[in-house]
Amino acid sequence: MPLKDILDRALAERYGVAAINIFNDLTLEAVLAAAVEQRSPLIVQTSVKTVRSIGLDVLYGMWETMTAGIEVPVCLHLDHCPERDVITECLRKGWNSVLFDASRQPVEENLRQVIEVVAQARAVGAHVEGEIEAITGVEDGVGSDDVAKRQSLEVAVDFIQRSGVDVFAPSIGNAHGVYVAEPTLDAQRVTDLVQATGIPIALHGGTGMTDAQFADLIARGCAKVNISTGLKVTFMKTNLEFLRGAEAANKWDPPSLFRDVRAAVVEMAAGYMVKFGSVGKAW
Ligand code: 13P
């Protein structure tokens, strides 16, 4: 399913679609199962690191196999990718959308390149997320902890209109990773961008935001809500807890470990779908 179809509908009805960064077969299968269970649309994201660690062909093969005949709208999205060759390979292979991340480059250079990426994507019926300000924090080796310069609303609107991107990721005080304190978010910027351009907004750094923040930002037009750290933490902690139990009992059964971890991931993903209001929104 094309990203734009999923997001335009979410924007019109003001619910959010979880965009979850998976990193192996178990997490991919579990988030898809949550979407089916909740009758919710879902965006599955892959970082460049995940594409490299699993391998493009194997990863895409997993996606094709696991989504064959699926009855809810799902799409495969390449998250923060500064590398044009990886963008080209993923679009060629069948990814539904990409985030071309040239946010640390001057806006004009970013625009020049994103126009090329949009043309490449259109040629295969795919969509593009754009950003002109880096999201604070390092995620899977991409990004920086330095707070990037924010652009004016005029510059952002001009970039969106001239580039033709389908979804835009602004920096609004959000950050990747674990928040040390509740973030102060510039929600008005989301309203201003949606009013000026009519396109859906991608909310990065979802892990650790409060329910009230999610509700407010989704109502303003954040139709895509990114979750990465939350899944990593759930995955690692459930493994740790299970392995501690296995050690104590001296029982070593991998399928039981996978069953526990899968259940925790399904529960986590379903919880976000409930929070974002996408339950029952499959068509
Ligand atoms: P978190 O890691 O904070 O959940 O952010 C996810 C994200 O924005 C991925 O691009």
Side-chain angles (χ1 to χ4, degrees), residues 101 103-104 134-139 141-148 175-176:
D101 187 346
S103 57
R104 298 263 166 195
I135 310 292
T136 309
V138 182
E139 187 112 80
V142 176
S144 155
D145 286 326
D146 300 338
V147 177
H176 291 138

Side-chain angles (χ1 to χ4, degrees), residues 21 45 79-80 139 175-177 204-207 226-230:
N21 290 57
Q45 306 202 125
D79 198 20
H80 295 282
E139 187 112 80
H176 291 138
H204 283 248
T207 305
N226 287 13
I227 301 291
S228 175
T229 304

Side-chain angles (χ1 to χ4, degrees), residues 3-277:
L3 176 78
K4 192 167 159 50
D5 294 16
I6 292 178
L7 290 183
D8 284 353
R9 198 154 171 154
L11 177 66
E13 294 183 32
R14 289 296 198 269
Y15 59 84
V17 179
I20 305 180
N21 290 57
I22 59 92
F23 40 80
N24 66 358
D25 54 343
L26 185 149
T27 51
L28 172 58
E29 192 279 330
V31 297
L32 290 170
V36 171
E37 250 175 57
Q38 301 301 323
R39 305 273 325 135
S40 168
L42 170 71
I43 298 161
V44 170
Q45 306 202 125
T46 58
S47 68
V48 177
K49 188 175 176 183
T50 295
V51 173
R52 292 231 164 88
S53 76
I54 299 177
L56 186 105
D57 291 337
V58 174
L59 180 51
Y60 195 73
M62 275 160 39
W63 168 258
E64 268 193 314
T65 308
M66 290 186 198
T67 57
I70 194 163
E71 286 170 0
V72 294
V74 290
C75 81
L76 184 61
H77 177 80
L78 177 67
D79 198 20
H80 295 282
C81 181
E83 293 163 55
R84 290 287 301 274
D85 54 338
V86 180
I87 298 245
T88 301
E89 280 174 48
C90 287
L91 286 175
R92 211 178 272 153
K93 191 75 198 176
W95 263 249
N96 300 104
S97 52
V98 295
L99 166 51
F100 173 55
D101 187 346
S103 57
R104 298 263 166 195
Q105 298 197 29
V107 178
E108 275 308 315
E109 175 56 16
N110 185 339
L111 179 64
R112 187 188 71 74
Q113 291 204 43
V114 87
I115 287 172
E116 292 175 1
V117 173
V118 169
Q120 253 184 306
R122 292 291 180 272
V124 292
H127 295 110
V128 177
E129 180 176 336
E131 65 172 325
I132 52 174
E133 304 143 340
I135 310 292
T136 309
V138 182
E139 187 112 80
D140 280 0
V142 176
S144 155
D145 286 326
D146 300 338
V147 177
K149 178 173 169 258
R150 285 218 213 151
Q151 303 291 344
S152 67
L153 181 67
E154 290 68 34
V155 169
V157 170
D158 182 64
F159 173 86
I160 292 166
Q161 287 169 344
R162 286 165 65 198
S163 64
V165 293
D166 306 285
V167 52
F168 183 71
S171 168
I172 55 166
N174 46 343
H176 291 138
V178 178
Y179 291 104
V180 278
E182 189 180 314
T184 308
L185 300 174
D186 182 1
Q188 186 58 40
R189 191 135 196 268
V190 174
T191 303
D192 293 345
L193 284 164
V194 172
Q195 263 171 11
T197 67
I199 70 163
I201 297 300
L203 177 60
H204 283 248
T207 305
M209 286 185 188
T210 65
D211 292 2
Q213 286 174 326
F214 282 133
D216 178 42
L217 292 163
I218 290 168
R220 290 169 185 269
C222 285
K224 174 174 182 280
V225 186
N226 287 13
I227 301 291
S228 175
T229 304
L231 178 56
K232 290 176 182 166
V233 172
T234 298
F235 181 87
M236 298 297 282
K237 286 195 173 167
T238 313
N239 271 281
L240 184 63
E241 203 177 308
F242 183 93
L243 290 171
R244 282 192 174 131
E247 187 173 46
N250 196 23
K251 270 180 86 177
W252 304 99
D253 178 42
S256 317
L257 167 67
F258 302 153
R259 193 194 50 229
D260 263 30
V261 177
R262 178 186 187 274
V265 175
V266 171
E267 192 185 330
M268 186 216 78
Y272 281 120
M273 290 164 190
V274 171
K275 263 184 212 179
F276 301 164

